[in-house]
Amino acid sequence: MHHTVVERELELQLILSPERSIPVPARLGYRSDDPFAVHVTFHIGSDHPVHWTFARELLVEGVFRPCGHGDVRVWPTKVAGRGVVLMALSSPDGDALLEAPAAQVSAWLERTLRAVPPGSEAEQLGIDDGLAELLAPTAADDLWLRDPWPGDESQDAE
C-alpha cells in the first residue's frame, strides 16, 4: 500500500507578548495512512523537538474562521497587513501562541487535501474493509454461539 506524505518546513513566530515574538523553525506533516490528523513539530533540528497532533479539519477551518476549543484553537488574523493563522496550544507543560504565514499553511493544506480529499479519509484507512473483516463470522464464533454455558440448566433443576 502506497502512502503519501506531505511535509513543509516553515518558520513560525512564538508570540511572547504583543510586542515580542521569536522565530521557531517548524515542520508541518501529513500522512495518508493517518488521514484525519496533522502533525506539527516545533524546534526541528534542536535536541528537544516538540510534537503536536490535531485534526486536519481544525486547521482547514482555522484558516478561514476561529475554531477549536480546549488544547488547540486556531484562527485567522492580519498582522501588518499580512494574513496569518494563529494557533493557541495548551498542555500540562504550558501554553504557546504561534503565528504562521497563512499563505504557506494554506498551500500546504491544499496539498494534503489533494492527497486525501475531505470525506475520503475513512477509505484511506480501509475502515470499511477492516470492519467487514471484524464482523465476518469465523469458525471460533460458531463454537462460541452454539452453547457457551453447557450444563447450566441441569444445575438450576437440582
Side-chain angles (χ1 to χ4, degrees), residues 136-148:
T138 63
D141 290 340
D142 296 344
L143 291 173
W144 177 243
L145 292 171
R146 203 169 302 135
D147 190 359

Side-chain angles (χ1 to χ4, degrees), residues 54-132:
F54 50 89
R56 174 174 74 168
E57 208 178 328
L58 192 66
L59 199 51
V60 169
E61 193 176 333
V63 169
F64 298 104
R65 67 183 74 84
C67 69
H69 48 84
D71 296 346
V72 180
R73 300 195 319 280
V74 185
W75 68 97
T77 191
K78 286 246 190 296
V79 172
R82 293 177 310 118
V84 297
V85 178
L86 291 173
M87 289 181 279
L89 308 176
S90 306
S91 78
D93 299 329
D95 301 337
L97 179 59
L98 292 137
E99 177 191 298
Q104 290 178 21
V105 172
S106 299
W108 172 77
L109 277 171
E110 189 66 43
R111 284 167 52 208
T112 76
L113 294 167
R114 275 204 300 275
V116 180
S120 73
E121 292 94 347
E123 294 159 32
Q124 290 295 321
L125 291 174
I127 282 180
D128 301 342
D129 305 342
L131 272 178

Side-chain angles (χ1 to χ4, degrees), residues 1-6 30-35 115-116 124-126:
M1 170 88 188
H2 174 71
H3 294 302
T4 307
V5 176
V6 183
Y30 178 79
R31 300 171 51 100
S32 62
D33 59 347
D34 187 9
V116 180
Q124 290 295 321
L125 291 174

